[in-house]
Amino acid sequence: LGASSRRQAKWFLKEKVNLTLRERSLAQTYPARLPLYAANGNCLDSRRANPSSLQTAPCDGMAYQDFAFMHNTLQTLGQCVSVSSGRFSSRSRISLVACNGSIEQQWFADGQRIRSILNGQCLDANKTGSAVRLQSCDDSIGQQFGRHH
């Protein structure tokens, strides 16, 4: 393995050790299937989701905007939020796919941010219009999510 791959593997192992604590944290932070509000006032939205991307849209109270954390996955309507193609880079697309427990589908709460266990990067609903992408965490408004608007 190259130096970069070794660093990534060490980071991953460290994250796996803390997985149980984070799972408890997720359940406490996002305890029920409810809308996830982005700081810009929109909600995560699976209605417009297709294999290419998860979106944000004006909140309308419908089930396709209800998300829940379950076993370190973020789920809606029986599908899991996933990093597309398991990519490790910023700007990776976020999609909804059948839940399979893969690392691409595992997330943890970090304050108001939702971070990928795959690479520690954040869900971002601001830098690419309404498309939700994976970005380096920078505490920007597009990386802040919550249950109450």
Side-chain angles (χ1 to χ4, degrees):
L1 293 173
S4 176
S5 295
R6 282 193 302 273
R7 279 193 302 275
Q8 198 69 288
K10 283 181 184 178
W11 184 89
F12 173 74
L13 289 173
K14 180 181 172 189
E15 294 305 313
K16 289 301 265 186
V17 168
N18 293 318
L19 199 56
T20 302
L21 294 175
R22 286 207 172 106
E23 187 169 321
R24 282 190 210 133
S25 172
L26 291 174
Q28 292 167 356
T29 305
Y30 304 107
R33 189 173 299 277
L34 296 167
L36 267 175
Y37 294 96
N40 65 8
N42 286 336
C43 287
L44 284 183
D45 190 298
S46 63
R47 172 185 49 178
R48 293 174 178 82
N50 57 44
S52 64
S53 66
L54 183 65
Q55 306 287 314
T56 61
C59 302
D60 60 17
M62 301 302 288
Y64 48 74
Q65 291 183 342
D66 290 345
F67 288 79
F69 274 105
M70 295 164 43
H71 308 292
N72 288 330
T73 62
L74 182 56
Q75 297 184 20
T76 185
L77 301 175
Q79 293 188 307
C80 285
V81 174
S82 181
V83 178
S84 297
S85 304
R87 295 179 51 201
F88 282 88
S89 63
S90 284
R91 300 189 49 96
S92 292
R93 289 183 176 178
I94 303 300
S95 58
L96 288 173
V97 298
C99 298
N100 61 25
S102 69
I103 193 166
E104 292 89 356
Q105 297 177 357
Q106 295 181 29
W107 305 90
F108 65 95
D110 180 16
Q112 289 186 292
R113 300 182 298 189
I114 300 173
R115 297 178 65 177
S116 170
I117 289 177
L118 176 69
N119 58 16
Q121 293 184 341
C122 289
L123 284 185
D124 191 298
N126 198 38
K127 291 183 180 60
T128 55
S130 64
V132 177
R133 302 256 183 182
L134 203 58
Q135 297 281 353
S136 296
C137 298
D138 60 13
D139 292 324
S140 66
I141 194 167
Q143 296 179 1
Q144 298 174 25
F145 296 89
R147 286 296 193 192
H148 303 289
H149 182 61

